Amino acid sequence: MASDLLQQLRLNGPVPRHVAVIMDGNGRWARERGRPREFGHRAGMRAVREAVEAAGDAGVEVLTLFAFSQENWHRPQGEVAALMTLLELYVRKERRELKEKGVEVHAVGQLHLLGPRTRAAIQSIVEHTRGGTKLKLNLAISYGSRAEIVHAARRLAERVREGTLMPGEIDEELFAEHLYTPGDPDPDLLIRTSGEMRISNFMLWQLAYTELHVSPVLWPDFTREHFFAALLEYQQRERRFGRVLAT
Ligand code: IPE
Ligand code: IPE
Ligand code: MG
């Protein structure tokens, strides 16, 4: 089934270069089973693994996964702690395989807000996988897009104050280089699971012309097939970028 979809994707032509995912619905998945929210987060790890594999197999260049938002810090302390422990577990379990598969991991977000153990785990996976050329995996952790944009503005302002940059030299390209994702193409496709129709402070700048795919499936149930199906649907879209296409 998945291999049929993959073959179809290849026949259709180009796949998105950059796919971003808002991995949502772990809590509801657990609630449906009468279990604590942490149980859903744990189940969501399998889906992360499948999505990373599927992206690599499909030939996607960059996969950005929204793992923990700046706003998620306001969840109950026990849930935050469980999420941090899971992140550390993910690093321990997947580090070697990601390296073998040529996945280069990057972390984007306000990492200084993380505890020392989580920060060290993230640093270790980033260093261990450096140089991977098959897929770039951005993990958005403690990430908020408005904070990212403010951070970029501040860095540019600093350069103006130092006298190394003129305000008139600030254009869209330079601004984008000061975000957390310099060098990455903008996402071509955004997938959000669990049916929520919102962006939740994710990549506000980068998503300007991204195609949106909202899946009703809760994140722990999101499989390789679902991922490929989203890419297939993307391939049917007509991207116009505000223009009129020649007929
Ligand atoms: C997504 O699942 C994981 C994180 C936000 C960390 P949720 O925990 O938001 O699950 P729901 O939306 O409550 O079902
Ligand atoms: C967005 O999901 C953040 C992540 C998936 C990490 P949320 O569940 O936190 O977003 P809202 O609260 O539904 O907007
Ligand atoms: Mg949610």
Side-chain angles (χ1 to χ4, degrees):
M1 174 64 176
S3 57
D4 292 348
L5 293 175
L6 187 56
Q7 201 174 6
Q8 190 59 47
L9 271 173
R10 296 211 170 109
L11 286 173
N12 284 356
V15 294
R17 292 182 65 196
H18 184 173
V19 178
V21 186
I22 303 178
M23 310 184 288
D24 198 15
N26 295 350
R28 275 160 283 173
W29 189 90
R31 195 174 58 208
E32 281 178 0
R33 286 157 182 79
R35 303 293 298 269
R37 297 177 56 81
E38 289 74 7
F39 183 69
H41 296 316
R42 187 170 281 269
M45 286 223 307
R46 184 206 45 78
V48 170
R49 199 188 156 87
E50 278 203 32
V52 172
E53 259 181 35
D57 291 347
V60 168
E61 291 168 44
V62 185
L63 177 68
T64 300
L65 298 179
F66 200 4
F68 188 82
S69 75
Q70 193 188 324
E71 291 76 18
N72 290 151
W73 285 115
H74 301 296
R75 291 190 178 193
Q77 218 185 338
E79 182 174 348
V80 171
L83 281 163
M84 294 302 144
T85 304
L86 276 175
L87 257 169
E88 293 157 26
L89 183 69
Y90 176 78
V91 166
R92 272 205 304 280
K93 275 177 69 171
E94 304 290 330
R95 208 173 59 157
R96 184 176 334 138
E97 203 175 316
L98 290 172
K99 167 87 180 168
E100 278 166 13
K101 292 211 164 113
V103 178
E104 183 176 80
V105 180
H106 293 252
V108 297
Q110 294 185 281
L111 304 178
H112 63 276
L113 298 178
L114 298 169
R117 214 177 46 203
T118 313
R119 225 178 22 233
I122 290 174
Q123 200 184 338
S124 82
I125 198 168
V126 166
E127 281 170 12
H128 193 72
T129 59
R130 190 166 290 147
T133 54
K134 171 92 178 137
L135 174 72
K136 179 174 179 187
L137 173 61
N138 292 323
L139 297 176
I141 301 166
S142 186
Y143 173 89
S145 184
R146 285 187 171 179
E148 175 186 29
I149 290 169
V150 168
H151 177 77
R154 227 180 249 160
R155 284 175 59 203
L156 289 164
E158 292 289 350
R159 288 186 51 192
V160 170
R161 189 176 60 177
E162 283 166 6
T164 58
L165 181 70
M166 297 289 283
E169 290 174 306
I170 301 174
D171 58 11
E172 292 182 14
E173 202 182 326
L174 187 71
F175 198 91
E177 276 171 31
H178 287 75
L179 296 171
Y180 296 149
T181 53
D184 291 352
D186 286 340
D188 302 292
L189 175 67
L190 172 74
I191 299 173
R192 182 165 189 155
T193 58
S194 89
E196 301 300 349
M197 300 283 183
R198 55 176 171 264
I199 300 292
S200 302
N201 198 16
F202 187 50
M203 302 187 96
L204 300 176
W205 173 284
Q206 296 91 330
L207 294 175
Y209 255 109
T210 300
E211 295 294 323
L212 310 179
H213 176 97
V214 176
S215 164
V217 176
L218 303 176
W219 178 250
D221 290 330
F222 199 80
T223 60
R224 192 176 163 78
E225 281 83 0
H226 292 118
F227 191 89
F228 290 151
L231 300 195
L232 278 169
E233 198 215 60
Y234 166 87
Q235 288 179 324
Q236 309 307 317
R237 302 273 181 96
E238 182 184 68
R239 298 185 79 183
R240 296 199 198 98
F241 300 99
R243 298 163 209 212
V244 177
L245 298 184
T247 48

